[in-house]
Amino acid sequence: MSAQAQMRAMLDQLMGTSRDGDTTRQRIKFSDDRVCKSHLLNCCPHDVLSGTRMDLGECLKVHDLALRADYEIASKEQDFFFELDAMDHLQSFIADCDRRTEMAKKRLAETQEEISAEVAAKAERVHELNEEIGKLLAKVEQLGAEGNVEESQKVMDEVEKARAKKREAEEVYRNSMPASSFQQQKLRVCEVCSAYLGLHDNDRRLADHFGGKLHLGFIEIREKLEELKRVVAEKQEKRNQERLKRREEREREEREKLRRSRSHSKNPKRSRSREHRRHRSRSTSRERKRRTRSKSREKRHRHRSRSSSRSRSRSHQRSRHSSRDRSRERSKRRSSKERSSGDKERSLRDQDLTSRDKDRSSRERSPRDRERKDKKRSYESANGRSEDRRSSEEREAGEI
């Protein structure tokens, strides 16, 4: 393997960008148990104390900024309650630190000379002032880095006041101790990060300690733990209230059911009347539905019958018109035939009459006979016309 490939593999191993890591990140989600919940909440001690004297190394669980971003987006819509896991993690870590602090105090008590309670209180006062001065100097450096000169000048004035108090406390402590024992270095264990502090440390040493990454990291972890405790307590209280509300609602529903059952048992008539009303309402609704269905069916049937009757009437009218036309044609033909036969009979009658008139005229030549003959002729002609009319009317009545 070339030097370049070795360097790349080393960088991948240090930065956590190996292929196996990429595949595991692609496979898991932020809700997986293998993901560090303290890292998602930005309070994992492995991240906070990295690069310090108490560097814990790499966390056993997965740390990924992409998973933290996914969690921050999803937590706006849903509460995953990861604060409880992070609180347990930080509590166990702080408990270990407190145990180490107590062990260091016991070790100092065994190695250092025993002093009276009064002298110990005076030494504790000097340590407190040293801690105050160190915190103020760390704050001055932070304000100076941010460019806030006025605030840093005000904090420096407080530092001078604390230094004056420290000189007075040291003078009191020196007067209460013999010169031989005062020259010995009196150590003290820091309550925050369990580091050792000297009673005679200068301001630079105190500023480096209280402004250092280790001490500030422990302060951040402890403050985050207190915040998580508060958040978890609020969420648990909220959940308990929701549970109580649900329980009260269930009890209320059960009471309502019991009251209804008792009322039904006490007043069976009312329950029967209610059931009867319900039954009547159901039956009326069913009857209405049936009526609407029957009406719709009748309308459809009427529409169909009307259409069929219209078609039948039209066909009947057409047949009647055709039969009338045929009967008219037949009557016309019969009337024409009868007319032709009547004309022939009339012509024959006229011929007979003429022949008879001639014979009679030849026989009777008197004027009286002539008048009689004329009257007979007119009477016979009138009778013939009336008979013709009667025959035509009877024919028409028969055709109709």
Side-chain angles (χ1 to χ4, degrees):
M1 186 183 289
S2 62
Q4 188 175 2
Q6 289 178 355
M7 185 65 70
R8 187 179 297 168
M10 189 182 296
L11 289 172
D12 290 339
Q13 187 176 2
L14 291 172
M15 301 298 291
T17 58
S18 61
R19 293 179 181 178
D20 297 333
D22 292 338
T23 53
T24 54
R25 289 190 188 92
Q26 290 176 0
R27 267 187 256 134
I28 65 175
K29 295 183 180 180
F30 64 87
S31 58
D32 198 299
D33 293 334
R34 292 174 289 177
V35 178
C36 180
K37 303 304 185 291
S38 301
H39 171 72
L40 296 178
L41 295 170
N42 196 17
C43 62
C44 183
H46 295 269
D47 294 336
V48 176
L49 300 177
S50 63
T52 63
R53 183 173 57 85
M54 291 183 66
D55 193 348
L56 302 173
E58 188 177 357
C59 185
L60 298 176
K61 294 188 176 183
V62 178
H63 284 206
D64 192 357
L65 296 175
L67 295 175
R68 183 191 293 175
D70 294 339
Y71 166 72
E72 290 175 354
I73 294 169
S75 61
K76 294 178 181 178
E77 299 178 357
Q78 183 181 355
D79 188 8
F80 296 94
F81 208 65
F82 289 162
E83 290 84 1
L84 184 61
D85 297 333
M87 186 185 72
D88 293 339
H89 185 197
L90 296 184
Q91 274 183 341
S92 63
F93 176 74
I94 294 297
D96 292 337
C97 292
D98 293 339
R99 280 195 295 271
R100 284 197 297 269
T101 302
E102 293 296 326
M103 290 173 66
K105 287 181 179 180
K106 288 180 181 179
R107 196 178 298 115
L108 286 175
E110 292 174 356
T111 56
Q112 293 181 353
E113 294 180 0
E114 293 183 0
I115 56 177
S116 62
E118 185 180 355
V119 176
K122 293 177 181 178
E124 186 67 25
R125 175 61 180 166
V126 175
H127 282 299
E128 289 176 359
L129 290 170
N130 284 335
E131 185 176 352
E132 184 180 353
I133 291 168
K135 288 180 180 178
L136 290 172
L137 289 174
K139 189 176 181 181
V140 168
E141 290 180 358
Q142 185 179 359
L143 292 171
E146 293 175 356
N148 197 346
V149 181
E150 295 179 358
E151 290 291 331
S152 64
Q153 192 64 35
K154 291 179 181 179
V155 175
M156 279 301 298
D157 295 338
E158 294 179 2
V159 170
E160 292 298 329
K161 292 178 182 179
R163 283 175 179 173
K165 291 179 182 179
K166 179 186 174 183
R167 283 193 294 270
E168 293 177 359
E170 285 179 347
E171 187 68 25
V172 172
Y173 175 68
R174 187 182 296 111
N175 293 330
S176 63
M177 291 282 293
S180 59
S181 61
F182 179 75
Q183 294 298 327
Q184 294 178 1
Q185 179 69 289
K186 297 295 180 181
L187 297 177
R188 177 175 176 268
V189 181
C190 181
E191 298 290 340
V192 177
C193 60
S194 43
Y196 290 103
L197 296 174
L199 185 66
H200 304 294
D201 288 341
N202 57 11
D203 295 343
R204 184 72 264 168
R205 170 77 175 81
L206 295 172
D208 291 341
H209 172 74
F210 291 105
K213 189 176 181 180
L214 178 65
H215 188 82
L216 295 176
F218 269 95
I219 290 173
E220 182 182 353
I221 292 170
R222 290 178 183 275
E223 289 178 352
K224 190 68 177 179
L225 177 59
E226 295 298 325
E227 183 183 353
L228 289 174
K229 286 180 179 179
R230 180 178 56 79
V231 172
V232 169
E234 290 177 357
K235 290 187 176 182
Q236 285 180 347
E237 184 66 23
K238 189 176 179 180
R239 286 192 174 185
N240 291 331
Q241 289 178 359
E242 290 177 356
R243 288 174 184 173
L244 288 173
K245 285 181 180 179
R246 287 196 293 268
R247 189 180 297 171
E248 288 176 357
E249 289 177 357
R250 289 174 185 172
E251 290 177 355
R252 193 181 301 165
E253 290 177 358
E254 289 177 357
R255 289 173 186 172
E256 288 288 331
K257 289 180 181 178
L258 289 171
R259 188 175 61 79
R260 289 175 184 174
S261 63
R262 288 174 183 175
S263 63
H264 287 314
S265 62
K266 289 180 180 179
N267 299 321
K269 293 182 179 179
R270 291 183 180 177
S271 61
R272 289 175 184 175
S273 62
R274 288 177 183 174
E275 291 178 357
H276 185 63
R277 288 173 186 172
R278 290 176 184 173
H279 183 69
R280 285 182 65 189
S281 62
R282 289 175 184 173
S283 61
T284 51
S285 61
R286 288 175 183 172
E287 294 244 338
R288 288 175 184 173
K289 289 180 181 179
R290 288 176 184 174
R291 287 175 185 174
T292 52
R293 288 176 184 173
S294 62
K295 285 180 181 179
S296 61
R297 289 175 183 173
E298 287 177 359
K299 286 180 180 178
R300 291 175 184 173
H301 183 68
R302 286 176 184 174
H303 182 68
R304 291 176 181 173
S305 62
R306 285 176 184 174
S307 60
S308 61
S309 63
R310 286 175 184 173
S311 61
R312 289 175 183 174
S313 63
R314 288 175 184 172
S315 61
H316 185 64
Q317 286 178 0
R318 289 174 184 172
S319 63
R320 284 181 67 186
H321 285 298
S322 61
S323 62
R324 285 179 183 177
D325 294 333
R326 291 174 184 172
S327 62
R328 285 176 184 174
E329 289 177 357
R330 290 174 182 172
S331 62
K332 285 180 182 179
R333 289 175 185 174
R334 290 176 183 174
S335 60
S336 61
K337 288 179 180 180
E338 289 176 354
R339 285 176 186 174
S340 61
S341 62
D343 293 334
K344 288 179 181 179
E345 288 178 355
R346 287 176 187 174
S347 61
L348 292 172
R349 287 176 184 175
D350 292 333
Q351 289 178 2
D352 292 334
L353 290 171
T354 51
S355 62
R356 288 176 183 175
D357 290 336
K358 285 179 181 179
D359 292 335
R360 289 176 182 175
S361 61
S362 61
R363 290 177 184 174
E364 297 176 355
R365 292 178 180 177
S366 62
R368 292 180 180 177
D369 296 330
R370 289 177 183 175
E371 288 177 359
R372 290 176 183 173
K373 289 178 182 178
D374 292 329
K375 288 179 181 179
K376 287 180 181 180
R377 288 175 185 173
S378 62
Y379 179 77
E380 286 175 356
S381 63
N383 289 327
R385 290 176 183 173
S386 63
E387 286 176 359
D388 294 332
R389 287 177 185 175
R390 289 176 184 172
S391 62
S392 62
E393 288 176 357
E394 288 175 356
R395 290 171 186 171
E396 289 178 355
E399 290 174 354
I400 292 166

